[in-house]
Structures are given as structure tokens and as C-alpha cells.
Amino acid sequence: MKRIRYTFNRSAIIALLAAAMLATSSCSKYTELEPINSPSENSAFQSPSSIELAMQGVYEAAAVGSYNGDKASARGYPFGAAAIEQDEMRGEDMLNVALFYAITYEATYTTSSANNVNMWTGLYALINQANVMIRGVQAAAANGVIPAETAAAYEGEARFLRALAHHELLIHFSFPYADNNGSKPGVPYREKAITSQADVNEGLTIGRGTVAEAYAKLLADLDYAETNLPVTQTKGLSRATKGAAIALKTRIKQHMGDWDGVIAEGAKLGTDKQPTGHFTSPIGAYTLTASPETPFTSFKNNTESVFSIANGPNANGGTNGALAAMFGPADKGARGLVATSPILYNASFWVEGDLRRKLLQVNQVVGEKYVFNYKYRDYVNKTDYAPIIRYAEVLLNVAEAYAKKGNTAQALLLLNDVRNRSVPADKQFTTAPADLMLAILQERRIEFAGEGRRWPDLHRLALDPAYGSNGIPAKMKAGQMKLDGSDYNNITPPTFPATGGVKAYLYTEYQFLWPIPADEVAANPLLREQQNEGYK
């Protein structure tokens, strides 16, 4: 039971529950719709202690999951590492050094390529486990095993994770909300636990619906979570809270272009104020740490991280998936597979003297060819938490909303709160830059480098006439890089050849979306008819 990542008594109850909900009992692997073992599910909800273990099992599914059906080589699917890595590899700000991420990086994925298939199956496995948890605690409350308010709090955690998982599916398998106001096909939004063959059959009748319908359900889940989750959790940043639900809503409404909604949700977390110092949330007391480094050096306990996925020495993404292993340099014990791209490192908007270039980037000493992200540093035990949402994101989400609504003053205050802790005094904005929106979007690229926020921004802004990429941007190839590391020069940036890199893909080309996996469409006639165009 190495993969149960929390330090608790590894009882047979949680082992059976996790295995039953994640295992595949037949040759098909579609959407984890195989029935779970009902007796083990029932036993998991017969006492408060076993219910807590079951909840920890849901988080374990979020952090570790499985890879090609094997939990022993899970690679951090979906949120322990894989979501961050895949979202970075779909963007241009980090560089694929070897072949490991080439399929995602170069957009050559198919209906059977491993990373996109495992994201689909891992996310739906998590969703089903969350749904089993919801049904289980509802029954436990009805039977007097736990109080109703305790059951509601557990349900809030499960709904938070269910919403997070469905949104990750939407940004890869569906077009953005901005495309025809969410009328394009979404993803199946699964709200019912699969516990019998009848449930499997019912599940196969649920189609993709629309993007707008999925977003409405996301918000319903998060509204419930906000209402029923506690402000703080005794187990720290790796358990969902009221503030986490609100923070995630600022992201969801941002993707919808609901700027009034972003501002309203942000106000609950203090972003409508004009502070004399840093912005501070009245819920959860979130505020930026003094150094941009602290959320990553004190990842278990800091004022800025709103919600993270826990990793530990006995349960993490492993050598082939953990954040430190993938993003770190080989001379420090990592694999050195993903570097920071000169596209970002040399960008003119990343000013000289920015602490994030000094503190959160690191050279590989041997060879000096690449610069790597330095947010994840435990190369031995791989215990770095995976950041899901930080207060810095809330501030920049709301800054963007205020800029869209024409409130330049508040937008600048929020932008500066994030930016000024890192840039030298002579580079700070005293008045709004000529293109404030562009400055906010550029700040996001620097602040969240290595945290998986680049693809979500490219996805939601793809059709924006001023700031969108109109698809997947062109990227650098490792083969274009010089051996001496001189390509990393933000003072006098080198010029790279116009050819030899990874080609861009237009929004209208089918590669913009991932395909629904082959196993899914083979077993599910409804989704077979709803496959993304361009894939067979």
C-alpha cells in the first residue's frame, strides 16, 4: 500500500475502496464506469474514522491515480504532477528537452497516446470516487453515523474536487467558453456514483452536453462547497476549504468572461479593498508571502497557497512524473526533461533584477545548456506539493476583471501587489502601463511559470483579437539550443532561426483539442458520435 500518501493506518477498508473504484474489472477502460464492489463501499461509511479514510482516498486518487491502469507507476495523475506538466507542455514557455513529452509538446497526440488518454481516465476515475464519497456520506448522515453538517463538509470537499476535475477536462477536450458563448460540445458531467451494471448503462447515455452546461454545473458544485466547507482545515493546504472554493470560482468565471462575477467572488477574498500593505483575505487570512520563493520552500504551511495537492516520500509522481524529477536539472538528481524556454526567460517584459529569475530559476551546472524551474526542489523524496491555486492567482484574476471593466486604479493595485515583491523599485509601475491588460497577462506568465497555468490562459484567450494566440503558439526545440547556455540572455537576447522549431497550430486545426480516447469511443456509442473533429 505504498501509494496511500497520508500517514494513517492503511486499513483494508480504504484499500478495498480505492482499488474497487479505480480498478478495471473488464477489458474496457472507458470513463471508469465499471461497477465498484458494493460491500467494501458500504463498510467504508459505517464509522467516522472509516469515512475520514475514504475522504483521504479521494485525495489520493487526485494525487496519484494510476497510469495505464497501474497504480505502482501512477506518475502523479491527474493533479499530483501530471496536470501541471501537461498544461506546461501544451504551452510555449517551457521547453521539452528530450522525447518524454514530445507528443504533447508537438501536438502529435492520437486517440491512444498515453498522456492525454491517462488524463481522461484519471480525471474520470477521480470524479467517480468523489461521487461515491458524496453518496456514502449522505447515507451515513441519514443513518446517524455522522452529523449532517459533517457529511455536508465532506460532500463539499468531494464536489470541489469534482469541479476541479471537470474543468481540467474542459480545457483539453472542449473549445473555450468564448467560442459561441459556450454552445460547443462540453464533456460528460458525471454526478452519479457507478455502483452497478445498471449505473454503467445509465452512464453510457450521458453525452457531452455543451460547454455552458458544464460550467453551470461546475459553479453549482463550487457554490455548495463554499457554503459547506470550513474556513480552515486541520490537515492544512492539501484539503479544500471555503476560500479554496471561492478562489476556484474566480478562475472559472474568468474562463467564462464573467468579469462582474470574478470581481464579486474576489471581493469575498478581500480584492475590492485598497490596502496600505498587501491585500489580505478576510476568509482564510490569505496574503502574499514576502518572498516569491516562500510558497515553494514552505509548501505545507504558508499564507499564500490556497489549495495544493500533497505529495510525500511514499506517494508521489515518482521518477517518471514528480514535479521535481521532471522540472529539475540532472546534476541535482532530477531528470532534466523540462527546462524554461528562452521564449519566456529572454522576454523583454521579464525585467532585469526580477527576484523570480534569481530565486525560482536554476542552471544545470554540467554543460550549462539549460535553465530549469526551481519551484520544486526535493529531488530525492519528491515531496513538493503540487500548487493548484495561490492567492497571487486570485489577485491577478481579479486585476484582469477590473481592467476589463475599466477600473484601472484597482487593477493596477492588484497587479502591483504581485509584481512589486519581485521587481526592483525602478522597474515598478507608478502609473498604469499603456496596455494594462497586456501587462497583467505577461505577469501571469512570469508568476505562474512551472505551475501549469499557461495552457489554460492560451485556451481561454485563443479567440481574443488583441491578446489571443488563435491556437497553439510556435515553440522552440531543444536542438536549436547552443551547448554553452548562451541562449539564456535577457540583456541582449539571441535571435533564433525562423525554422527548426515546433510549428504553431491554428485554432481551426484539430490539434487544438485532445481526442476522446479510443477505448472510450469504442465502448460508448454516444461519445463515438461526439468525437472531436479530425480524430478517428
Short mmCIF file of all heavy atoms in Angstrom, two decimals, residues 101-127:
data_model
loop_
_atom_site.label_atom_id
_atom_site.label_comp_id
_atom_site.label_asym_id
_atom_site.label_seq_id
_atom_site.Cartn_x
_atom_site.Cartn_y
_atom_site.Cartn_z
N TYR A 101 8.10 14.18 -23.37
CA TYR A 101 6.85 14.91 -23.53
C TYR A 101 6.61 15.36 -24.98
O TYR A 101 5.80 16.24 -25.23
CB TYR A 101 6.83 16.14 -22.62
CG TYR A 101 6.68 15.81 -21.16
CD1 TYR A 101 7.76 15.95 -20.29
CD2 TYR A 101 5.47 15.37 -20.63
CE1 TYR A 101 7.64 15.65 -18.93
CE2 TYR A 101 5.34 15.07 -19.29
CZ TYR A 101 6.42 15.21 -18.44
OH TYR A 101 6.30 14.91 -17.11
N ALA A 102 7.32 14.75 -25.91
CA ALA A 102 7.28 15.23 -27.29
C ALA A 102 5.88 15.19 -27.88
O ALA A 102 5.48 16.09 -28.64
CB ALA A 102 8.23 14.41 -28.15
N ILE A 103 5.10 14.17 -27.56
CA ILE A 103 3.77 14.05 -28.14
C ILE A 103 2.89 15.23 -27.74
O ILE A 103 2.22 15.85 -28.58
CB ILE A 103 3.13 12.71 -27.75
CG1 ILE A 103 3.85 11.56 -28.46
CG2 ILE A 103 1.64 12.68 -28.09
CD1 ILE A 103 3.39 10.18 -28.03
N THR A 104 2.90 15.56 -26.47
CA THR A 104 2.11 16.71 -26.02
C THR A 104 2.70 18.00 -26.55
O THR A 104 1.99 18.87 -27.06
CB THR A 104 2.06 16.76 -24.48
OG1 THR A 104 1.47 15.56 -23.99
CG2 THR A 104 1.24 17.95 -24.00
N TYR A 105 4.01 18.15 -26.45
CA TYR A 105 4.69 19.38 -26.83
C TYR A 105 4.51 19.71 -28.31
O TYR A 105 4.31 20.86 -28.69
CB TYR A 105 6.18 19.24 -26.51
CG TYR A 105 6.98 20.52 -26.54
CD1 TYR A 105 6.81 21.51 -25.57
CD2 TYR A 105 7.95 20.73 -27.52
CE1 TYR A 105 7.56 22.66 -25.58
CE2 TYR A 105 8.71 21.89 -27.54
CZ TYR A 105 8.51 22.85 -26.57
OH TYR A 105 9.27 24.00 -26.59
N GLU A 106 4.56 18.67 -29.14
CA GLU A 106 4.48 18.88 -30.58
C GLU A 106 3.08 18.64 -31.15
O GLU A 106 2.88 18.68 -32.36
CB GLU A 106 5.50 17.99 -31.28
CG GLU A 106 6.93 18.32 -30.85
CD GLU A 106 7.98 17.43 -31.49
OE1 GLU A 106 7.65 16.74 -32.49
OE2 GLU A 106 9.12 17.41 -30.98
N ALA A 107 2.11 18.37 -30.27
CA ALA A 107 0.70 18.20 -30.66
C ALA A 107 0.51 17.07 -31.66
O ALA A 107 -0.26 17.19 -32.63
CB ALA A 107 0.14 19.51 -31.21
N THR A 108 1.19 15.95 -31.42
CA THR A 108 1.04 14.78 -32.28
C THR A 108 0.23 13.69 -31.60
O THR A 108 0.32 12.52 -31.97
CB THR A 108 2.42 14.23 -32.69
OG1 THR A 108 3.17 13.91 -31.51
CG2 THR A 108 3.19 15.24 -33.52
N TYR A 109 -0.58 14.06 -30.62
CA TYR A 109 -1.36 13.10 -29.87
C TYR A 109 -2.43 12.46 -30.74
O TYR A 109 -2.88 13.01 -31.74
CB TYR A 109 -2.01 13.76 -28.64
CG TYR A 109 -2.20 15.25 -28.76
CD1 TYR A 109 -3.20 15.80 -29.54
CD2 TYR A 109 -1.34 16.13 -28.09
CE1 TYR A 109 -3.36 17.17 -29.66
CE2 TYR A 109 -1.50 17.50 -28.20
CZ TYR A 109 -2.50 18.02 -28.98
OH TYR A 109 -2.64 19.37 -29.11
N THR A 110 -2.80 11.26 -30.31
CA THR A 110 -3.83 10.49 -31.01
C THR A 110 -4.84 9.99 -29.99
O THR A 110 -4.72 10.27 -28.79
CB THR A 110 -3.21 9.28 -31.73
OG1 THR A 110 -2.74 8.34 -30.74
CG2 THR A 110 -2.06 9.70 -32.63
N THR A 111 -5.78 9.20 -30.45
CA THR A 111 -6.80 8.66 -29.55
C THR A 111 -6.22 7.60 -28.60
O THR A 111 -6.92 7.18 -27.68
CB THR A 111 -7.95 8.03 -30.34
OG1 THR A 111 -7.43 6.99 -31.18
CG2 THR A 111 -8.65 9.07 -31.20
N SER A 112 -4.98 7.19 -28.81
CA SER A 112 -4.38 6.17 -27.94
C SER A 112 -3.06 6.60 -27.33
O SER A 112 -2.41 5.81 -26.66
CB SER A 112 -4.17 4.86 -28.71
OG SER A 112 -3.37 5.07 -29.86
N SER A 113 -2.62 7.85 -27.54
CA SER A 113 -1.36 8.29 -26.94
C SER A 113 -1.54 8.45 -25.43
O SER A 113 -2.57 8.91 -24.94
CB SER A 113 -0.87 9.58 -27.58
OG SER A 113 -1.89 10.55 -27.70
N ALA A 114 -0.52 8.07 -24.70
CA ALA A 114 -0.66 7.78 -23.27
C ALA A 114 -1.07 8.98 -22.43
O ALA A 114 -1.95 8.87 -21.56
CB ALA A 114 0.64 7.19 -22.73
N ASN A 115 -0.44 10.13 -22.63
CA ASN A 115 -0.67 11.23 -21.68
C ASN A 115 -2.10 11.76 -21.73
O ASN A 115 -2.74 11.93 -20.69
CB ASN A 115 0.33 12.36 -21.96
CG ASN A 115 1.74 11.99 -21.57
OD1 ASN A 115 1.96 11.31 -20.58
ND2 ASN A 115 2.71 12.44 -22.35
N ASN A 116 -2.62 12.01 -22.91
CA ASN A 116 -3.99 12.52 -22.99
C ASN A 116 -5.01 11.47 -22.59
O ASN A 116 -6.02 11.77 -21.95
CB ASN A 116 -4.29 13.08 -24.39
CG ASN A 116 -3.84 12.17 -25.52
OD1 ASN A 116 -2.65 11.97 -25.71
ND2 ASN A 116 -4.79 11.61 -26.26
N VAL A 117 -4.74 10.19 -22.93
CA VAL A 117 -5.65 9.11 -22.52
C VAL A 117 -5.67 8.99 -21.00
O VAL A 117 -6.74 8.87 -20.38
CB VAL A 117 -5.23 7.78 -23.17
CG1 VAL A 117 -5.99 6.61 -22.54
CG2 VAL A 117 -5.50 7.82 -24.67
N ASN A 118 -4.50 9.03 -20.37
CA ASN A 118 -4.45 8.88 -18.91
C ASN A 118 -5.02 10.09 -18.18
O ASN A 118 -5.52 9.95 -17.06
CB ASN A 118 -3.03 8.59 -18.47
CG ASN A 118 -2.67 7.12 -18.63
OD1 ASN A 118 -3.13 6.27 -17.90
ND2 ASN A 118 -1.85 6.82 -19.63
N MET A 119 -4.95 11.26 -18.79
CA MET A 119 -5.62 12.40 -18.17
C MET A 119 -7.13 12.19 -18.17
O MET A 119 -7.81 12.44 -17.18
CB MET A 119 -5.24 13.69 -18.89
CG MET A 119 -3.85 14.19 -18.56
SD MET A 119 -3.60 14.58 -16.80
CE MET A 119 -4.68 15.98 -16.61
N TRP A 120 -7.67 11.73 -19.29
CA TRP A 120 -9.12 11.47 -19.37
C TRP A 120 -9.53 10.42 -18.32
O TRP A 120 -10.44 10.64 -17.53
CB TRP A 120 -9.48 11.02 -20.78
CG TRP A 120 -10.90 10.58 -20.98
CD1 TRP A 120 -11.44 9.36 -20.66
CD2 TRP A 120 -11.98 11.35 -21.55
NE1 TRP A 120 -12.78 9.31 -21.00
CE2 TRP A 120 -13.13 10.51 -21.54
CE3 TRP A 120 -12.08 12.62 -22.08
CZ2 TRP A 120 -14.36 10.96 -22.05
CZ3 TRP A 120 -13.31 13.06 -22.57
CH2 TRP A 120 -14.43 12.23 -22.55
N THR A 121 -8.86 9.27 -18.35
CA THR A 121 -9.26 8.19 -17.44
C THR A 121 -8.98 8.55 -15.99
O THR A 121 -9.78 8.23 -15.10
CB THR A 121 -8.54 6.88 -17.81
OG1 THR A 121 -7.12 7.08 -17.79
CG2 THR A 121 -8.95 6.40 -19.19
N GLY A 122 -7.87 9.23 -15.72
CA GLY A 122 -7.56 9.61 -14.35
C GLY A 122 -8.53 10.63 -13.79
O GLY A 122 -8.94 10.55 -12.62
N LEU A 123 -8.92 11.59 -14.61
CA LEU A 123 -9.87 12.60 -14.15
C LEU A 123 -11.25 12.00 -13.90
O LEU A 123 -11.90 12.31 -12.88
CB LEU A 123 -9.95 13.74 -15.17
CG LEU A 123 -8.71 14.64 -15.21
CD1 LEU A 123 -8.66 15.45 -16.50
CD2 LEU A 123 -8.68 15.57 -14.00
N TYR A 124 -11.69 11.10 -14.78
CA TYR A 124 -12.99 10.49 -14.55
C TYR A 124 -12.95 9.47 -13.41
O TYR A 124 -13.97 9.25 -12.73
CB TYR A 124 -13.54 9.88 -15.84
CG TYR A 124 -14.28 10.89 -16.68
CD1 TYR A 124 -13.81 11.27 -17.93
CD2 TYR A 124 -15.45 11.49 -16.20
CE1 TYR A 124 -14.49 12.21 -18.69
CE2 TYR A 124 -16.14 12.43 -16.96
CZ TYR A 124 -15.65 12.79 -18.20
OH TYR A 124 -16.33 13.73 -18.95
N ALA A 125 -11.81 8.84 -13.19
CA ALA A 125 -11.69 7.97 -12.02
C ALA A 125 -11.84 8.78 -10.74
O ALA A 125 -12.52 8.36 -9.79
CB ALA A 125 -10.36 7.23 -12.04
N LEU A 126 -11.19 9.94 -10.69
CA LEU A 126 -11.34 10.83 -9.54
C LEU A 126 -12.78 11.28 -9.39
O LEU A 126 -13.33 11.29 -8.27
CB LEU A 126 -10.42 12.05 -9.72
CG LEU A 126 -10.65 13.22 -8.77
CD1 LEU A 126 -10.47 12.81 -7.30
CD2 LEU A 126 -9.72 14.38 -9.13
N ILE A 127 -13.43 11.63 -10.48
CA ILE A 127 -14.83 12.07 -10.42
C ILE A 127 -15.72 10.96 -9.86
O ILE A 127 -16.58 11.21 -9.01
CB ILE A 127 -15.29 12.51 -11.83
CG1 ILE A 127 -14.61 13.83 -12.21
CG2 ILE A 127 -16.81 12.63 -11.90
CD1 ILE A 127 -14.69 14.15 -13.69
#
